[in-house]
Amino acid sequence: MEFTEGVYDLPVTLETDDGERVFHPSAVELEDGGLLLVDAGFGHTLDQLEANLDGHGFGLADVEFVLLTHQDGDHVGGLAPLVDRVPDVTVFAHRDDAPAIDGREAPIKGQGDRYPAVPVDVELAGGETFRTAAGPLDVVATPGHTPGHVSLHLPERDVLLAGDALTADDTGLRGPKEHFTPKLSQAIDSVRALADRDPETTLAYHGGLVEHGHGRVADLHDELDADLD
């Protein structure tokens, strides 16, 4: 789904014992017409990702950059098969999560099994900006869910690509999943950083697109902070 011009939600599904789960990689058109892919899904969902791109008139070969919001397997597992198909792609990740992605360290979550390691070409620190067809795409450091989690803000479109820094459900925008967030207090501080951006619309990797209006992320931060106390 193209939910604002040049920005695409690319949902992939996973069948589990508890039913179907949906995850939300996304893509942003670059100024030259290529794509920046945000997260890569699982290894076995690459075909779904490719079909979604095809539905918007793109192919995997159009992916020039992959930006990983963080090191978790549901975001990185599809990277190795994607790089096999598109060997010239440039991979970006925060410097604090890059060692888990490229194999220097074990991921902080999981039961010992890990996704195939892939080199990270460019390590981010937060504060970088990509030039896209949808305007500047700002990298916002949002640690807590993992040490190097980042979210992405498109200020000209009032859109936040939250990764797992925020989630969504039938009631609307929610905070990070506590069970999967080792440093919850830090993650709530990161929600405050996103509130300062004050987006109108958020795409959460878990939960999808929410048009929540201005002020909602700030209110959510206050709710989460109060619950933490």
Side-chain angles (χ1 to χ4, degrees), residues 15-171:
E15 297 292 339
T16 72
D17 292 340
D18 297 323
E20 186 177 88
R21 296 179 62 195
V22 182
F23 304 81
H24 293 267
S26 56
V28 183
E29 288 187 54
L30 299 167
E31 286 187 328
D32 65 2
L35 291 175
L36 182 153
L37 180 68
V38 182
D39 292 324
F42 299 90
H44 59 278
T45 60
L46 184 61
D47 288 346
Q48 294 182 49
L49 196 63
E50 184 176 22
N52 277 326
L53 290 172
D54 182 70
H56 295 295
F58 298 103
L60 285 179
D62 293 303
V63 177
E64 296 183 13
F65 302 155
V66 178
L67 197 160
L68 302 165
T69 60
H70 62 293
Q71 62 175 272
D72 288 353
D74 54 338
H75 298 252
V76 186
L79 182 61
L82 189 151
V83 170
D84 285 343
R85 297 275 301 278
V86 192
D88 293 334
V89 72
T90 301
V91 178
F92 296 80
H94 192 279
R95 61 191 179 194
D96 290 341
D97 273 19
I101 295 165
D102 68 19
R104 285 175 286 163
E105 298 177 0
I108 63 171
K109 303 170 195 172
Q111 304 300 318
D113 294 333
R114 61 161 296 144
Y115 45 80
V118 176
V120 174
D121 299 298
V122 182
E123 295 189 9
L124 305 170
E128 298 83 1
T129 299
F130 291 80
R131 296 170 62 183
T132 81
L137 177 72
D138 298 333
V139 179
V140 184
T142 47
H145 184 74
T146 66
H149 191 288
V150 298
S151 302
L152 305 171
H153 182 224
L154 288 152
E156 291 185 6
R157 300 299 175 87
D158 244 350
V159 166
L160 175 68
L161 307 177
D164 288 3
L166 298 172
T167 60
D169 61 19
D170 292 341
T171 68

